[in-house]
Amino acid sequence: MQAADWILWNARIYTQDPEQPEAEALAVVGETLAAVGPMEAVRAWQGPRTRILDLKGATVLPGLIDAHLHLEGYARLQMGVDVDTPTLEEALARVARQAATRPPGEWIVGRGWLQERWGRFPTADDLDRVAPAHPVALWARSGHALWANREAMRRAGVTRDTPDPPGGRIARDAAGEPTGLFFERAIDGIARVIPEPSIEELAEALYEALHALAALGLTAVHNFDGPRSFAALQILHARGDLPIRVVQHIPLSALDHALAVGLRTGFGDEWLRIGAVKIFADGALGPRTAWMLEPYEGEPENTGIAYTSPEVMREAAHRATLGGLSLAIHAIGDRANREVLDLFEALRALEAPRGIPPEARRHRIEHAQLVHPADIPRFGALGIVASMQPIHAVSDRPMAERYWGSRCATAYAWRSLKAAGARLAFGSDAPVEPPNPWWGLHAAVVRDGWHPEQALPLAEALEAYTVGPAWAAGLERRQGRLRPGMWADLIVLPEDPFRIPPDALRDLEVLGTMVGGRWVFRRGSALLD
């Protein structure tokens, strides 16, 4: 037998393996785990070149997996202006500082604003006060609204005569003039004229972003950005510069191309592989474009937006499924979740006789933020993955209470969904929220006391950051647990998360992150030398 490259011992190892939940040592051969158990058994893998690490009582967990983020958006957030500020004036001051250092006419872009914090929606007038000579485009924190000034609208050709696109809305004043706010598909009218960084520049930004994610304890992510992000990731993959594993999902706009070349869910290798087709059923809570069964509180005419019509969504879902591609459908409002569950129910009958591979039948609902009580059992009955972001419950709470009222009893309903048989896969939705998984785990366990009946015990929350995303990607035999034969993807912690107060979860820091038997991050400590 081949000798181990690494033996890690004298640790409290939580494996997520029900056959052996805890161990004290493990052996790594190449990219995989060769042995997990007591030191006496693991020592048999020791050879002359084996490096043995005494972890001195540290804790080891399977590597965490973020089941939903936007790598390009996260990387580019570092390149633009951050307008996630307590006040509108502070955001405008940041834009003004950018304008003062850039030549007139150069674009200023950024992200992060939330009108609920500012007491009103911002306008083009606000931006024109501080940057009249620059086109400015600032995405909301949710990514479902954009704030632009008049120079940006001029370059995009937006006037009072520009119609609202299907699935989108341009905010207008009483005279019918655009106010500078664009919702859902209307964003595209501005975004299409903003210069993009080159693919090579994006690859370098992604390299830095992926290493930052590894430092948080993430060993894999599911990426929901589009073809440019995928092209940049392939550059890193070809160079051997991917520090963590990536499942790349396909936007609906690229479905025809994917089918034409025969791409299927699971194509790729252990570092970069194809996931699902991403479809938007509705918008988001912040701009009140999530699609609702009943109107928003205080807005009797507003039930949100069907971003993709049910007919278009159904036709695309059928084609994708028959082509061997699974589905990941964004649904936030209770009407959107019901429509998507109806679609998945119809797909089950389509899939059964056609021999579609199992990984292409692992459909997901992304976010599932508000689900009608009658629809919660359908997740388990249909075998649907509830791909959710616990941190949203904490940050969205004021908006949810204001606009959903009593319906919040089944908002962010992790416990109810799990009890109904849904497979939970947790993530961050970065850059909408910070990608720190410890903040997500804290939110899942504590919920800041909001509807505590929906909180999860830590063991189940960890499962949703490990086993759940691995299953959703069809990788449950290689990822998500510490078991012989699985990838050596693990993290080392200075403290045992099961033995600290729940509020302390948010402050945990990772000592080391190993992916495929290679340390991709080590904090300044001699422990892992």
Side-chain angles (χ1 to χ4, degrees), residues 83-151:
V83 288
D84 185 0
T85 58
T87 66
L88 171 60
E89 289 307 315
E90 186 175 338
L92 292 172
R94 293 184 181 186
V95 174
R97 287 194 290 271
Q98 289 283 322
T101 62
R102 298 188 182 193
E106 185 174 302
W107 278 88
I108 297 172
V109 298
R111 184 170 184 147
W113 60 269
L114 184 65
Q115 77 283 352
E116 294 295 319
R117 302 180 73 188
W118 298 348
R120 68 172 174 90
F121 277 106
T123 67
D125 288 339
D126 297 316
L127 288 173
D128 287 343
R129 282 196 288 115
V130 298
H134 298 76
V136 184
L138 304 169
W139 272 260
R141 181 194 288 182
S142 69
H144 289 260
L146 182 137
W147 170 28
N149 68 349
R150 286 185 174 81
E151 177 60 17

Side-chain angles (χ1 to χ4, degrees), residues 427-441:
S428 65
D429 204 14
V432 176
E433 302 284 357
N436 192 324
W438 306 104
W439 293 14
L441 283 161

Side-chain angles (χ1 to χ4, degrees), residues 64-66 69 213-221 244 435 437 465 491 513 515:
L64 304 181
I65 304 168
D66 190 312
L69 53 58
L213 296 173
L216 296 172
L218 292 166
T219 57
V221 296
I244 63 177
Y465 269 105
I491 59 176
T513 302
V515 184

Side-chain angles (χ1 to χ4, degrees), residues 22-42:
E22 294 186 31
E24 68 167 350
L26 57 81
V28 177
V29 175
E31 297 186 5
T32 62
L33 294 168
V36 181
M39 184 59 182
E40 293 76 12
V42 172

